[in-house]
Amino acid sequence: MSCQSLEGCRHEILTFSSSPHAKEVGFRQKEHRSKASKQKSDSIGNTIEESSFPAPLVLPEDDLALDPKYPAQSLLSWQRLKERNAVTRRRNVIYVAAPPGFDAAVDEVDSWTYPNTSRKTAGSRNDAFPKAHPDVKDIIEYLSAFYRGMPVKLLPSPLDFASWEDEKAPHKSTSSRRTKKPKSEPTIIGLRTASENIRVRSRLSPDSVYPAQLNLDDLLDVAISVLPSDAYALLFLVSHDLYEDEDDIFVCGRAYGGSRVAVISTARYDPILDDIHGVDREHAWPASHCERFVEAMCLEASTSMPAKKKAKGFKGGTSSSPILLSSSPISSSSISQSPLHLALTRYMSNRPDTALLHLIRASLTAAHELGHCFGIDHCVYYACCMQGSASLAEDARQPPYLCPVCEQKILLATGGDRMERMQRLRDLAERWGWASLAGWLEGRMAFKQTEVI
């Protein structure tokens, strides 16, 4: 079976466990509860938890497949993290900086926010040309629900791209990471704040998907310079494609938790680029847990391995042995109304259009990067929106919800209420037409289960 043979797949059986590839690479799902607390919830409690929160998929080339021993950050280790910034009365607001405007002198910079492919064709999917980028007001609305308990506000001082008059002026980076010195001096533009004009380097896009890219470190410097005194964290939203080091093809964003800032780009999340980035929209979450799809991904990867490496990966068989999924801890017949099943049912009957899909992807990345500002590391316990991601294809397969471990961290940091938070997210999902998330939250809230961490 290959992934190409799954066209028209109905996702009849869902898997709640990690893929067979997880065992091949040495990934083992981490326990997050003590033996005593696990015994208290026993069979029914575990069934509810597993049906709500499947294990990480760990498909070939996924982040955890490449780094299966990534350390887990427990709730206790997060609470003891010395580098974590505390929410205080003086610093308790999440700010979002809107994508910058443009001076007339640099109006060509606006054209850099649209992919080259949209100038030639709408893509093999016949997606419509994007009329607008995700609206910052919508992203603020989502973050207000996601981080319920803390105010989320638009940065009041607008930012604007401007000309950079003195290209030879020295620039001192304040971010903790340095960009490698480029082989040739790139084009430089300015980004004007209320008090200064900050240098921002740019370059041609190495894969020609976008006309040009902006330097991420320079944008992080901008975010640090405009951080309000009452800010717990600031998210700088940009519509341009980004790079960090000269070796990068592109980056989608970065958070510097210690500095309380994050920058994300919405550029590569444009659905018109899905074919370029290998995004299987048919098996995006929640359909990413389709058993046939998981089996096909593992089989395709095994048959494409070099013979020697492939043989080493199989135990008790030859390189041509088929990969079969182990029995899922929960089958479709045992809990047909699990949150994941409800999410899939809603997804199959009401899939998002490209504009909503772009907004959803940008919102999830914004929530993820701000999570790092709260000191939350990448999650290895469950499929979770705080998981690390090795590709845009993996991004699309990951869920929009927090697992019980990461959710508890956020609730403790924000002072929010679990049920109220879920209700706000569900209301938003219904308004947006985000059917899959609305279905998952409907099932989750119906259980009325409080996890023991």
Side-chain angles (χ1 to χ4, degrees):
M1 184 192 302
S2 68
C3 292
Q4 286 78 13
S5 68
L6 295 179
E7 186 176 351
C9 178
R10 300 298 301 171
H11 324 302
E12 294 172 346
I13 302 176
L14 299 181
T15 179
F16 291 79
S17 57
S18 298
S19 76
H21 187 72
K23 186 176 181 180
E24 299 286 337
V25 298
F27 174 81
R28 183 177 179 180
Q29 188 180 12
K30 308 296 190 297
E31 292 282 353
H32 72 85
R33 294 178 298 174
S34 67
K35 291 183 179 179
S37 65
K38 192 173 182 181
Q39 287 172 356
K40 290 178 182 178
S41 56
D42 211 330
S43 60
I44 296 177
N46 288 334
T47 297
I48 290 172
E49 181 176 286
E50 290 166 356
S51 67
S52 299
F53 303 103
L57 286 172
V58 196
L59 297 178
E61 301 304 315
D62 277 1
D63 188 64
L64 284 174
L66 300 173
D67 190 6
K69 304 299 183 183
Y70 193 86
Q73 184 194 53
S74 67
L75 178 62
L76 183 60
S77 62
W78 173 80
Q79 290 175 305
R80 293 177 174 175
L81 187 66
K82 294 181 179 179
E83 297 81 5
R84 180 169 63 87
N85 294 308
V87 179
T88 68
R89 291 182 179 180
R90 294 185 178 182
R91 291 181 176 176
N92 62 358
V93 180
I94 297 173
Y95 283 96
V96 180
F102 305 89
D103 280 0
V106 292
D107 58 358
E108 76 280 1
V109 177
D110 184 26
S111 67
W112 297 355
T113 65
Y114 294 97
N116 285 320
T117 184
S118 62
R119 292 172 170 79
K120 303 173 183 178
T121 175
S124 61
R125 303 175 189 270
N126 295 318
D127 291 335
F129 183 86
K131 301 288 184 183
H133 303 292
D135 193 324
V136 65
K137 294 180 181 178
D138 291 329
I139 293 176
I140 288 174
E141 180 185 22
Y142 176 74
L143 294 175
S144 297
F146 192 93
Y147 290 104
R148 179 66 178 164
M150 291 184 67
V152 182
K153 301 179 181 179
L154 180 68
L155 185 72
S157 302
L159 307 173
D160 293 287
F161 288 112
S163 62
W164 181 257
E165 293 82 9
D166 186 5
E167 294 191 6
K168 295 183 180 180
H171 171 72
K172 184 177 180 181
S173 177
T174 57
S175 60
S176 58
R177 178 164 178 161
R178 301 290 184 263
T179 302
K180 296 178 183 178
K181 187 177 180 180
K183 296 179 181 179
S184 59
E185 185 69 19
T187 302
I188 296 173
I189 58 175
L191 211 166
R192 184 177 294 122
T193 71
S195 59
E196 59 182 326
N197 192 22
I198 300 176
R199 184 187 80 160
V200 177
R201 287 162 288 179
S202 68
R203 70 173 189 182
L204 297 177
S205 175
D207 61 359
S208 300
V209 171
Y210 280 87
Q213 299 173 318
L214 302 181
N215 183 262
L216 174 63
D217 279 342
D218 293 346
L219 296 178
L220 283 163
D221 287 345
V222 174
I224 292 171
S225 73
V226 299
L227 188 68
S229 59
D230 63 342
Y232 177 78
L234 181 141
L235 175 77
F236 187 7
L237 185 70
V238 297
S239 304
H240 289 79
D241 202 22
L242 304 179
Y243 75 99
E244 189 169 13
D245 292 333
E246 288 299 311
D247 295 336
D248 294 331
I249 302 298
F250 67 89
V251 293
C252 291
R254 178 80 67 187
Y256 284 107
S259 299
R260 313 191 328 270
V261 297
V263 174
I264 72 158
S265 164
T266 63
R268 295 281 171 156
Y269 293 110
D270 190 335
I272 204 172
L273 305 176
D274 282 357
D275 285 340
I276 293 174
H277 295 304
V279 175
D280 184 349
R281 211 182 291 175
E282 292 298 313
H283 286 92
W285 185 88
S288 53
H289 288 270
C290 168
E291 188 175 80
R292 287 184 65 211
F293 169 70
V294 173
E295 182 181 21
M297 288 286 287
C298 294
L299 182 59
E300 187 174 86
S302 70
T303 55
S304 64
M305 287 181 185
K308 188 174 181 180
K309 183 176 181 181
K310 182 170 54 179
K312 184 179 179 181
F314 285 88
K315 294 183 179 181
T318 66
S319 61
S320 60
S321 301
I323 294 181
L324 298 177
L325 283 172
S326 58
S327 299
S328 300
I330 303 171
S331 67
S332 298
S333 59
S334 61
I335 300 185
S336 60
Q337 295 301 304
S338 75
L340 186 60
H341 285 89
L342 289 173
L344 181 63
T345 299
R346 297 283 297 271
Y347 172 78
M348 293 293 287
S349 62
N350 187 13
R351 301 191 189 193
D353 60 24
T354 54
L356 178 56
L357 192 56
H358 199 177
L359 172 61
I360 288 171
R361 293 171 176 178
S363 299
L364 292 178
T365 301
H368 176 101
E369 294 302 334
L370 281 172
H372 292 318
C373 291
F374 282 88
I376 301 176
D377 201 352
H378 285 152
C379 182
V380 300
Y381 291 107
Y382 299 95
C384 172
C385 69
M386 284 307 299
Q387 277 184 258
S389 177
S391 66
L392 290 165
E394 183 181 3
D395 252 14
R397 296 192 292 263
Q398 292 180 349
Y401 56 76
L402 289 169
C403 77
V405 183
C406 295
E407 181 187 51
Q408 188 65 20
K409 295 172 186 177
I410 289 299
L411 293 175
L412 288 174
T414 63
D417 175 79
R418 177 180 285 108
M419 291 301 292
E420 183 181 344
R421 177 181 178 274
M422 287 195 291
Q423 185 63 59
R424 288 291 297 269
L425 283 169
R426 183 188 173 187
D427 291 346
L428 176 142
E430 294 286 7
R431 286 196 306 274
W432 284 13
W434 189 353
S436 56
L437 177 59
W440 187 88
L441 288 165
E442 177 186 340
R444 185 77 196 110
M445 295 170 70
F447 278 136
K448 297 181 180 179
Q449 169 78 5
T450 302
E451 287 80 10
V452 180
I453 304 297

